[in-house]
Amino acid sequence: MKFGIVTFPGSNCDYDAFAAARFVLGQETAFLWHKSESLEGSDVVILPGGFAHGDYLRPGAIARFSPIMKEVFRFAKSGGIVIGICNGFQVLVEAGLLPGALMRNAHLRFACKFVYLKVEDYTTPFTLACPPGKTLKIPIAHGDGNYYTFQSDLEELERHGQVVFRYATADGRVTPEGNPNGSLGNIAGVRNREGNVMGLMPHPERAVEKILGSDDGLYVFRSLVTYCERRPAIAG
């Protein structure tokens, strides 16, 4: 399979994502420049973390107009697998591919530390390799990770099982103490209704080797590989 890593001016986690896919998982991987109009046959498209276009206006607001986003949108609507990490999550929200908004952290400080994630759904393309009941240890690094949506929209998310990850304590309890940024419902990651597009604020690509402090991020990447191996390819 092939991973495509979109690079915007200001992206700074694109090489981390590339290294995770290419050198740790051993999969074909390509960088996709934001002005490109081709996904180069990618099976999975990753929008990485960073500060796309300097996060001017608000995070992701300019990046969503990059030429490649037309192809990302087409790919997503045709059922292609898309994952946005941190700034990439913000871009997907701005592009309308995911619901909600990401606001300034409730404590108004940049948060950079390991957090714990409870997996809410083990059947998605992003989680099917996660051991049931395991709490994932994944780092965060963001100033605008406070997930918010209207109460009626939150009820829809919950009703349709679109919350994929929640911030939790080390033993998997979803509590205010486990929430690093004030996100509504401790939400750390959500998917679209169709289930092929997901965004999350934590960085699984920074947790793919034990020397990094955790290799729990591999569960996300291995889930993507396993899912793609089981289904027909969608041309990117």
Side-chain angles (χ1 to χ4, degrees):
M1 62 167 292
K2 183 176 182 179
F3 284 87
I5 316 295
V6 177
T7 300
F8 300 99
S11 295
N12 64 14
C13 299
D14 45 346
Y15 280 85
D16 299 84
F18 184 97
R22 177 67 183 89
F23 301 122
V24 179
L25 288 181
Q27 301 295 323
E28 183 180 358
T29 311
F31 287 116
L32 306 173
W33 184 233
H34 77 116
K35 288 187 176 181
S36 173
E37 296 182 355
S38 171
L39 300 183
E40 300 181 11
S42 299
D43 298 293
V44 172
V45 172
I46 299 177
L47 275 61
F51 302 90
H53 296 278
D55 279 351
Y56 289 110
L57 300 183
R58 61 184 177 272
I62 297 176
R64 61 89 85 226
F65 292 106
S66 291
I68 201 166
M69 288 304 297
K70 293 181 181 179
E71 289 305 303
V72 172
F73 193 88
R74 179 197 62 78
F75 182 66
K77 291 302 180 181
S78 69
I81 301 300
V82 179
I83 177 172
I85 301 170
C86 198
N87 192 227
F89 185 8
Q90 296 161 339
V91 174
L92 291 176
V93 167
E94 290 287 340
L97 286 170
L98 289 175
L102 290 152
M103 308 189 304
R104 178 69 67 181
N105 294 345
H107 47 64
L108 303 181
R109 299 187 302 276
F110 189 87
C112 184
K113 62 180 182 179
F114 275 101
V115 298
Y116 295 95
L117 303 179
K118 179 183 178 182
V119 181
E120 291 287 0
D121 186 349
Y122 293 93
T123 66
T124 78
F126 315 94
T127 58
L128 57 84
C130 296
K134 180 174 176 57
T135 302
L136 306 185
K137 181 183 177 183
I138 307 284
I140 58 170
H142 59 248
D144 297 84
N146 184 356
Y147 186 82
Y148 179 81
T149 190
F150 294 113
Q151 185 61 36
S152 59
D153 295 330
L154 177 62
E155 292 171 0
E156 283 291 298
L157 286 176
E158 299 285 6
R159 183 177 301 114
H160 294 284
Q162 290 176 249
V163 178
V164 180
F165 297 109
R166 294 188 201 271
Y167 297 112
T169 59
D171 57 357
R173 292 178 296 112
V174 178
T175 67
E177 291 74 25
N179 191 332
N181 53 33
S183 286
L184 190 67
N186 280 45
I187 292 175
V190 299
R191 64 172 179 84
N192 63 348
R193 187 78 61 86
E194 295 73 21
N196 63 303
V197 179
M198 185 190 74
L200 75 166
M201 289 308 297
H203 287 267
E205 81 285 4
R206 294 184 179 180
V208 293
E209 296 178 283
K210 290 188 181 298
I211 195 172
L212 301 175
S214 172
D215 61 357
D216 286 352
L218 278 177
Y219 291 119
V220 176
F221 284 92
R222 286 173 177 158
S223 294
L224 293 167
V225 172
T226 300
Y227 179 81
C228 288
E229 288 176 345
R230 291 177 180 176
R231 72 162 200 168
I234 293 178

